[in-house]
Amino acid sequence: MKNSDTHHSQFDHNQPRNDSSSTTIDSRFNQTLKNVQGLLKGRSIPGKVLLTRRLEPADELTVLSPDYRRTQSAHETGTSDRINTVLDEDVQNTSKQGNTTNVGKLKSSASDHEITSKEVPRSTIGARATDSARVMKLTKELSGTTVILERLRELAWSGVPPNMRPTTWRLLLGYAPPNSDRREGVLRRKRLEYLECVSQFYDLPDSERSDDEINMLRQIAVDCPRTVPDVTFFQQEQVQKSLERILYTWAIRHPASGYVQGINDLVTPFLVVFLSEYLEGSTENWSVSTLSSQKISEIEADCYWCLSKLLEGMQDHYTFAQPGIQRLVFKLKELVRRIDEPVSRHIEEQGLEFIQFAFRWFNCLLIREIPFNLVTRLWDTYLAEGDALPDFLVYIYASFLLTWSDELQKLDFQEMVMFLQHLPTQNWSHQELEMVLSRAYMWHSMFNNSPSHLAG
């Protein structure tokens, strides 16, 4: 199982499909379940475990439109023993039925939607971050003298309560130190440093800028009003001015890439999260005019430093020709071919290149593809992945694309281009996003030990 060549041959779509290969795939799914059980043993993990069952014969590694079976732990808190019992029962039931069972999101917790729509209206279903046990664990972790970052990552992966996001994100990105005694002093110093940078680089007349700097500032000024245009909050003049200062200062201090269109989108989750410490209610009703200039500069500083930390791990995504993104788009194409060969073949036959639609996904980290109210939940998972984020994006975006596998196979080239540019996600809730993340984690756990299938 650990041999990459063996893995490659088992999942190569050119290999003949027979009973033996189906059995092999069955055993791999069951082994994945057992591996996850091994990861869970001895760990207290709140919440439920999401398992998905395929109803069709296991002759292809395609996990689409799964029938989710939700299991609920006692008293909503859950323990590792209870989770292991549930997993054991599901493995046994699966072996009796002869169907392939797939692991969904099995990290510190699974989906945040184990409550059925009959119990809670669909529109009010929120992230698993609201589970009382997880809130207690996060509260305890964040209030400690020294935060254990690995433990925080496990808890944050499945969602963070909004009131805990600002502190959690600062810690996950390494902007705020884990030691609580040092935290306030470090943040004060970094915020002052940002103010000095703004004074040095931004608060200048154009006569003191180079032609390249003038052109870059003009491009940023053009892009700011286009940033998340469907959220009126971002159309406020003061908000756009904050975006402009953050982006220009970042670009000047990172000359290897400078400003690249798309980076403007990456500031927006930070801006909303750090403003939430001072503004209440719906984002649509926020007004930054109620905040002092000092508070605004502190929020800008936090956005600037967190953006810098985020992009440190993906610098070649925004350098000349953006080779990092091109590399990940290639990996996405290969992964989709392994998971869903029919849709991969259809896309290829129609002459559609992955770079034509997936480039924007990697460039803007999916912000333009899903409702903005879901972005911060998605970014909980992004930031919890840490240095592993770029590679994990490939699995998230494969899962995202294959949400519409059946639809895509019915479309010709032009129809696919239009469909992928205007994906039907406007009515998505947390439930659809959790499905995407569940499949991504399941596929990552299956493929990641044999990376040669994504080599190149």
Side-chain angles (χ1 to χ4, degrees):
M1 177 176 174
K2 293 183 179 180
N3 185 288
S4 60
D5 293 333
T6 302
H7 181 283
H8 190 284
S9 63
Q10 286 173 350
F11 290 94
D12 195 309
H13 68 279
N14 292 323
Q15 296 293 321
R17 307 193 195 285
N18 50 40
D19 293 339
S20 175
S21 64
S22 297
T23 302
T24 301
I25 295 174
D26 276 340
S27 67
R28 287 188 58 79
F29 276 110
N30 288 332
Q31 185 60 48
T32 302
L33 279 171
K34 293 175 183 176
N35 289 345
V36 173
Q37 283 182 280
L39 290 173
L40 296 179
K41 285 191 182 298
R43 295 164 61 187
S44 177
I45 301 179
K48 284 75 65 176
V49 176
L50 177 65
L51 297 176
T52 66
R53 174 179 297 141
R54 280 188 55 198
L55 302 180
E56 65 273 20
D59 59 350
E60 289 180 290
L61 183 59
T62 309
V63 189
L64 297 165
S65 303
D67 176 27
Y68 278 87
R69 232 167 36 126
R70 297 175 172 87
T71 61
Q72 210 163 5
S73 58
H75 307 297
E76 188 63 16
T77 58
T79 64
S80 58
D81 291 338
R82 174 62 177 163
I83 291 176
N84 287 328
T85 301
V86 172
L87 276 169
D88 286 333
E89 291 172 353
D90 278 297
V91 172
Q92 291 169 5
N93 292 339
T94 301
S95 62
K96 290 177 183 178
Q97 295 166 0
N99 285 337
T100 301
T101 302
N102 304 322
V103 184
K105 169 68 197 78
L106 295 170
K107 198 140 182 167
S108 58
S109 59
S111 169
D112 44 336
H113 300 287
E114 285 74 18
I115 303 173
T116 65
S117 58
K118 292 181 180 179
E119 296 169 353
V120 178
R122 177 186 177 94
S123 61
T124 63
I125 295 178
R128 277 290 315 285
T130 57
D131 289 356
S132 59
R134 300 190 66 252
V135 172
M136 289 173 61
K137 283 181 175 289
L138 274 165
T139 302
K140 181 179 179 181
E141 193 61 50
L142 293 174
S143 62
T145 304
T146 302
V147 174
I148 308 301
L149 291 179
E150 191 55 40
R151 195 180 300 156
L152 183 63
R153 292 188 191 285
E154 290 182 3
L155 292 168
W157 204 101
S158 298
V160 179
N163 64 310
M164 297 184 187
R165 268 198 186 110
T167 299
T168 300
W169 282 21
R170 291 186 190 107
L171 288 164
L172 290 175
L173 284 162
Y175 169 46
N179 189 317
S180 60
D181 294 338
R182 296 182 54 238
R183 201 168 298 152
E184 186 177 342
V186 169
L187 293 180
R188 188 187 308 114
R189 177 171 55 82
K190 300 299 281 186
R191 287 163 178 170
L192 285 174
E193 185 179 341
Y194 169 76
L195 274 179
E196 292 170 0
C197 289
V198 170
S199 176
Q200 182 180 354
F201 302 122
Y202 181 81
D203 295 333
L204 297 174
D206 281 354
S207 60
E208 296 184 28
R209 304 185 205 274
S210 69
D211 289 345
D212 287 342
E213 290 169 350
I214 292 173
N215 290 334
M216 184 166 64
L217 183 56
R218 286 176 179 169
Q219 184 61 59
I220 291 171
V222 168
D223 287 347
C224 284
R226 300 172 178 172
T227 305
V228 198
D230 54 337
V231 177
T232 55
F233 164 74
F234 289 105
Q235 304 311 307
Q236 295 179 34
E237 185 177 350
Q238 285 178 284
V239 174
Q240 293 182 10
K241 204 65 180 175
S242 289
L243 276 173
E244 186 177 299
R245 276 192 292 267
I246 294 166
L247 291 166
Y248 183 78
T249 304
W250 184 89
I252 290 294
R253 295 197 69 187
H254 295 81
S257 61
Y259 173 71
V260 176
Q261 286 180 299
I263 296 179
N264 54 312
D265 291 272
L266 306 188
V267 181
T268 57
F270 295 126
L271 196 54
V272 167
V273 166
F274 296 135
L275 276 167
S276 71
E277 293 183 286
Y278 306 102
L279 301 176
E280 298 179 349
S282 171
T283 308
E284 294 292 328
N285 299 324
W286 283 2
S287 174
V288 295
S289 61
T290 61
L291 300 177
S292 67
S293 58
Q294 180 182 346
K295 289 297 182 188
I296 291 175
S297 69
E298 289 178 359
I299 291 164
E300 284 184 21
D302 288 0
C303 292
Y304 169 84
W305 290 112
C306 285
L307 175 70
S308 300
K309 293 287 187 179
L310 174 72
L311 296 182
E312 277 179 12
M314 48 182 73
Q315 293 183 27
D316 60 351
H317 287 213
Y318 301 99
T319 54
F320 178 72
Q322 300 178 254
I325 290 180
Q326 296 198 48
R327 182 178 65 252
L328 293 184
V329 170
F330 172 80
K331 289 186 176 183
L332 175 63
K333 179 180 179 179
E334 288 299 297
L335 183 61
V336 169
R337 183 172 70 87
R338 299 293 174 185
I339 294 172
D340 192 335
E341 193 271 339
V343 76
S344 173
R345 184 175 62 247
H346 179 73
I347 290 172
E348 184 175 352
E349 288 174 348
Q350 291 299 316
L352 180 63
E353 295 293 336
F354 274 65
I355 198 78
Q356 292 174 271
F357 60 87
F359 184 88
R360 186 172 77 177
W361 299 1
F362 286 104
N363 194 53
C364 304
L365 296 184
L366 227 57
I367 286 176
R368 299 185 185 182
E369 317 307 324
I370 62 175
F372 190 74
N373 66 297
L374 300 181
V375 168
T376 50
R377 165 62 196 95
L378 175 61
W379 278 48
D380 289 338
T381 297
Y382 282 174
L383 303 189
E385 281 292 319
D387 293 339
L389 174 60
D391 286 332
F392 193 69
L393 290 176
V394 175
Y395 294 88
I396 294 179
Y397 297 171
S399 177
F400 184 67
L401 175 67
L402 294 179
T403 300
W404 299 281
S405 175
D406 292 342
E407 291 91 329
L408 289 171
Q409 292 181 62
K410 300 172 185 176
L411 304 178
D412 62 22
F413 172 84
Q414 193 61 41
E415 291 168 335
M416 273 196 291
V417 169
M418 294 299 295
F419 182 83
L420 291 167
Q421 286 180 349
H422 304 90
L423 288 166
T425 59
Q426 61 272 17
N427 295 321
W428 270 28
S429 67
H430 283 85
Q431 189 169 14
E432 287 78 13
L433 180 59
E434 295 297 336
M435 284 188 186
V436 168
L437 295 175
S438 296
R439 287 194 299 260
Y441 183 81
M442 185 268 291
W443 289 334
H444 182 265
S445 67
M446 290 177 58
F447 284 99
N448 201 45
N449 286 333
S450 300
S452 65
H453 73 291
L454 298 179

